[in-house]
Amino acid sequence: AQKITQTQPGMFVQEKEAVTLDCTYDTSDPSYGLFWYKQPSSGEMIFLIYQGSYDQQNATEGRYSLNFQKARKSANLVISASQLGDSAMYFCAMRERGNFNKFYFGSGTKLNVKP
Amino acid sequence: GAGVSQTPSNKVTEKGKYVELRCDPISGHTALYWYRQSLGQGPEFLIYFQGTGAADDSGLPNDRFFAVRPEGSVSTLKIQRTERGDSAVYLCASSGGGQETQYFGPGTRLLVL
């Protein structure tokens, strides 16, 4: 089974609006971490936000927030007030405590911000 | 710079040739990872180093792939007898200092003709 599933290959959003990028995960490990990365066309993976499985509150970093729904195994990324520079690929990733060495990545979502 | 660096940024080679890809992690980071990213896909784990040793090489696709990190800092990914299917972006990442996340380099784009 896929560890990380991103069902939206591409998304469009109007500048200044909010957008939600979906991510579901599959693990039996009770301790894990969830990550979101941004990959612009230049290719470098940029860390955005982290959520631990035992964190009580949803993570936030500036305009990024993570909508963590543990029972649904969902970790959606919310970008508020989209900017043209947000146009990029976005990857959800997971790391399990029992297999700490590996990060599992989804197939990504291509976000296009329209002016 | 303070980030992860990778060289070369691009590499074009012919089928059957040997290539080396280099990664210089963030200073002080003990953990180093190599990933392969094919077009339209997320990064795929290849190998993980903790210090000088390869703690997990389960992602290496076959014995043509090998990686070293002799002094616990710079790492080299080596690919023998390259095949066209090896064409991809090879990403390196490092982590350490108790941080959960890893930090990526810009990648090496390998094209095997």
Side-chain angles (χ1 to χ4, degrees):
Chain A
Q2 289 273 26
K3 288 281 190 182
I4 297 287
T5 302
Q6 294 180 255
T7 58
Q8 305 154 313
M11 290 277 287
F12 284 91
V13 65
Q14 201 68 38
E15 193 179 8
K16 299 179 186 176
E17 292 186 350
V19 62
T20 297
L21 306 184
D22 294 343
C23 172
T24 57
Y25 58 92
D26 181 32
T27 182
S28 56
D29 195 323
S31 179
Y32 51 90
L34 297 157
F35 306 79
W36 277 92
Y37 289 86
K38 173 184 178 181
Q39 189 175 44
S41 56
S42 59
E44 190 160 350
M45 298 281 282
I46 302 167
F47 166 70
L48 296 178
I49 196 166
Y50 164 78
Q51 178 86 44
S53 58
Y54 291 117
D55 292 344
Q56 295 297 312
Q57 295 192 336
N58 287 344
T60 60
E61 288 287 348
R63 294 187 298 111
Y64 304 108
S65 60
L66 201 151
N67 184 0
F68 181 44
Q69 297 186 45
K70 196 169 181 178
R72 297 179 60 185
K73 294 190 174 178
S74 166
N76 298 342
L77 177 70
V78 180
I79 306 174
S80 64
S82 298
Q83 302 172 355
L84 295 178
D86 294 335
S87 294
M89 283 291 290
Y90 287 82
F91 291 96
C92 180
M94 178 178 67
R95 183 187 208 181
E96 299 164 314
R97 178 60 59 178
N99 197 5
F100 203 66
N101 307 331
K102 284 184 179 175
F103 283 70
Y104 299 94
F105 285 83
S107 55
T109 295
K110 172 84 169 137
L111 178 66
N112 284 290
V113 180
K114 298 189 292 184
Chain B
V4 178
S5 61
Q6 292 186 247
T7 55
S9 53
N10 293 280
K11 176 71 177 176
V12 181
T13 190
E14 293 179 343
K15 181 175 179 293
K17 299 288 188 183
Y18 168 83
V19 296
E20 289 189 353
L21 312 179
R22 177 189 166 107
C23 171
D24 199 340
I26 292 172
S27 178
H29 278 189
T30 56
L32 186 146
Y33 306 78
W34 282 100
Y35 293 86
R36 178 168 68 177
Q37 186 176 22
S38 301
L39 196 63
Q41 300 295 318
E44 177 188 6
F45 170 82
L46 294 177
I47 187 168
Y48 158 72
F49 287 90
Q50 181 61 251
T52 60
D56 185 347
D57 63 359
S58 61
L60 295 177
N62 52 60
D63 61 6
R64 295 187 297 106
F65 288 75
F66 189 70
V68 295
R69 195 186 184 198
E71 297 178 359
S73 178
V74 171
S75 176
T76 304
L77 178 66
K78 308 180 180 194
I79 310 175
Q80 298 177 321
R81 304 182 305 279
T82 51
E83 299 177 357
R84 292 193 180 90
D86 298 335
S87 297
V89 175
Y90 290 81
L91 294 166
C92 176
S94 70
S95 67
Q99 295 171 321
E100 285 289 344
T101 194
Q102 52 188 334
Y103 296 90
F104 283 83
T108 293
R109 286 162 181 76
L110 175 66
L111 177 61
V112 182
L113 299 176

